[in-house]
Amino acid sequence: MPVLKTLLYLLMNEAFTGERIGPRVKDNLDLWQSLLLTAVKSETAKYGSESTS
């Protein structure tokens, strides 16, 4: 868990240090959200199917 929290901090730090979010930061946030949601869905499918077996 500490590695995940550190990674999220490094990814999100730039987005929250400025007063407003520019287009590049917004695009990065959208990309990271998509990647993280895909990873969570993959993990859920993997471990969800193992627990029901």
Side-chain angles (χ1 to χ4, degrees), residues 26-39:
K26 185 179 180 328
D27 288 344
N28 281 341
L29 288 173
D30 291 341
L31 174 64
W32 297 332
Q33 180 177 0
S34 174
L35 291 171
L36 289 169
L37 284 173
T38 301

Side-chain angles (χ1 to χ4, degrees), residues 16-49:
F16 296 112
T17 55
E19 289 184 18
R20 60 187 191 112
I21 295 176
R24 184 177 69 79
V25 174
K26 185 179 180 328
D27 288 344
N28 281 341
L29 288 173
D30 291 341
L31 174 64
W32 297 332
Q33 180 177 0
S34 174
L35 291 171
L36 289 169
L37 284 173
T38 301
V40 167
K41 288 177 184 177
S42 175
E43 289 292 312
T44 302
K46 178 181 175 184
Y47 292 112
S49 63

